[in-house]
Amino acid sequence: MSQFRSSDWFGKSGKMGFLYRSWMKNQGIPGDLFDGRPVIGICNTWSELTPCNAHFRDLAEAVKRGVYEAGGFPVEFPIMSLGETLLKPTAMLFRNLASMDAEESIRGNPIDGVVLLTGCDKTTPSTMMGAASVDLPTIVVPGGPMLNGKFKGGDIGSGTSVWKLTDDLKTGKITTEDYLAAESCMSRSAGHCMTMGTASTMACMVESLGMCLSGSAATPAVDSRKKVLAQLSGRRIVEMVKEGLVMSKILTRSAFENAIKVNAAIGGSTNFIIHLTAIAGRIGVDLSLDDFDRLGSKIPLLLNLMPSGKFLMEDFYYAGGLPVILKELVEVLDMNTLTVTGKSHAENISKGGICYNNEVITSCQNPIIPEAGIAVLKGNLAVNGAVIKPSAATPALMQHTGRAVVFENIEDYHARVDDPELDIDETCVMVLKSVGPVGYPGMPEVGNMVLPKKLLDKGVTDMVRVSDGRMSGTAYGTVVLHVSPESAIGGNLALVHNGDLIRLDVPARRIDLLVEDAELEKRRSLWQKPAYHTDRGYVSMYQRHVQQADKGADLDFLVGNSGSVVTRDSH
């Protein structure tokens, strides 16, 4: 009998072997499946409350077929599913909780390798973080994007078009009937957002890290080839177990650097920074906020996809998908990094990477934007850093000084933003406090504040906005995000008053509050730390242990890993 990890359960004689095998057999499992073959856990984030992942039961069956074909024993298990579209107050609050669920479910069970079924924004980083802290052979099956939205003869993209349609409704450009009709037109198939939102960004992150089969990221959820990839992934994970190909052999420093560069080239979400940093912290790779600017900010934008362009993920897939981007960036990537196939990126795409639509995927010689990666800003308003996505911003606002219009929290913003008496014009800088990891809590996607109605009515489409929160990867605008330290723990953002001047200088990588140090210290002496939202449960633990955005917003006691060894039996 082989000595895979699962043999410590199913390979035992006596009482414990009897217990471990007998209760599994009540599911009709033949005895020969306990003969020492690799046991493959299928970590399923299916939930009807996570619409992006609602097709995962079918996907899991395809994975099982592949596992059986390769001589493995598949066991499917659920973990907490994080639905970005429904879960309040924000799915980000529970990312770390779901990672704990994944970690302990993998470690505590007779699993030799694991397949992660991921889709909606936080299901990818949470499962990756949890699996990294155990470090077994692991492969990801991205659930895939929806088909392109279709409305009145044109394409509409999830998230991105919501912001535009909402502005159009506010200003009377469309009717309520049109607005409601667009709901069904936008979400017309299984899958996650088909824009380059965070879900698509996470899928591309996984492929650029080498953690899924080549070409998986862009394959639409309802394309039959998605099930083929799932089945092939089931076959491959059995081989990975036999090879001892664990996550830490793939998630090297070079792999993380590749992911940063690819994210710039595809116009990926700013949320990528927080999630990649957290994954790196679990696997033991030292990744700093400055790395994202140093490695990614000079990379050209090659993908013409909403919100930075006009196409959608279905078009990206037909144009050739992420292998085209990898091949185009061959001069700046480490193409020799190991992937889940047991081969390098270079080997994986040696016969592929052909572009079939140069309007969707351009070349480095003819980029959409020459330098498009996420920029990291420092200054007295963000001592530890803040970020902005130039590819989704207005060029004329990248250097701007304006008068601050301050909203103390999200309730204050909603109460006053459309007040006709609000003292604001298009030259102002909108400031939103108390939406960081501790302050909200959970750091929601509210940083792309909708502009005041009276400015929308004037035709204003963008303003500089600053917060310690995040924004959806589907969003756009000149939005400064992830300000660290956040306002709720006494960062200088907490000290901004109405009328203060704020200077944004993206080329110089600066965001500054133009207030004298002496005045800031006076204000600090009067500032009072807000009370925690609760004294019980997970939220209480989260607020007391969450790290700041520049550290990945993981819980401080989860950084690092505990490995896969469990020495004590249950009875």
Side-chain angles (χ1 to χ4, degrees), residues 205-361:
M205 175 193 75
V206 166
E207 187 169 338
S208 61
L209 285 170
M211 284 299 299
C212 66
L213 297 184
S214 182
S216 294
T219 310
V222 295
D223 193 300
S224 61
R225 287 164 287 189
K226 176 59 70 178
K227 289 185 178 179
V228 173
L229 286 166
Q231 188 164 340
L232 294 176
S233 297
R235 293 180 189 174
R236 178 59 195 153
I237 189 61
V238 176
E239 297 168 352
M240 289 174 67
V241 170
K242 294 176 180 178
E243 296 164 7
L245 183 51
V246 296
M247 285 184 79
S248 58
K249 293 181 180 180
I250 297 169
L251 295 182
T252 61
R253 172 77 191 188
S254 291
F256 283 97
E257 292 188 357
N258 283 344
I260 291 171
K261 294 171 183 175
V262 169
N263 190 67
I266 62 173
S269 167
T270 49
N271 291 309
F272 166 85
I273 293 178
I274 287 184
H275 299 320
L276 192 73
T277 301
I279 295 167
R282 296 293 188 94
I283 207 71
V285 171
D286 183 19
L287 205 61
S288 74
L289 191 57
D290 292 336
D291 288 328
F292 291 87
D293 197 310
R294 179 177 61 83
L295 295 167
S297 63
K298 304 299 182 184
I299 299 294
L301 179 65
L302 304 179
L303 184 57
N304 188 7
L305 213 74
M306 294 183 194
S308 298
K310 71 175 186 177
F311 292 102
L312 296 166
M313 287 295 288
E314 192 180 347
D315 307 305
F316 183 29
Y317 177 61
Y318 300 146
L322 200 72
V324 179
I325 301 289
L326 295 177
K327 182 164 279 189
E328 192 60 35
L329 295 177
V330 66
E331 295 298 325
V332 298
L333 299 180
D334 181 352
M335 298 297 288
N336 294 316
T337 55
L338 186 64
T339 74
V340 291
T341 65
K343 301 175 182 178
S344 67
H345 277 307
E347 292 172 295
N348 289 341
I349 67 170
S350 61
K351 296 180 181 179
I354 300 169
C355 182
Y356 298 105
N357 188 331
N358 290 317
E359 192 179 359
V360 176
I361 308 174

Side-chain angles (χ1 to χ4, degrees), residues 510-541:
R510 300 285 303 183
I511 178 77
D512 288 293
L513 178 62
L514 303 184
V515 174
E516 295 292 334
D517 289 345
E519 172 61 20
L520 289 180
E521 287 308 309
K522 178 181 176 183
R523 294 180 187 181
R524 188 177 303 282
S525 69
L526 299 173
W527 179 80
Q528 293 184 333
K529 184 178 180 179
Y532 289 126
H533 285 66
T534 180
D535 290 323
R536 70 167 300 277
Y538 171 73
V539 175
S540 174
M541 180 175 69

Side-chain angles (χ1 to χ4, degrees), residues 13-70:
S13 58
K15 178 190 73 174
M16 292 314 304
F18 183 105
L19 286 170
Y20 291 135
R21 292 186 298 270
S22 178
W23 266 266
M24 285 292 284
K25 287 182 177 180
N26 80 348
Q27 300 175 78
I29 296 170
D32 61 359
L33 286 185
F34 302 102
D35 61 3
R37 67 188 66 196
V39 177
I40 305 300
I42 302 172
C43 179
N44 199 342
T45 55
W46 169 87
S47 171
E48 290 180 342
L49 292 171
T50 306
C52 308
N53 299 17
H55 60 299
F56 279 14
R57 287 192 288 190
D58 285 345
L59 213 55
E61 291 303 314
V63 174
K64 289 179 186 177
R65 287 197 295 271
V67 172
Y68 279 126
E69 288 168 347

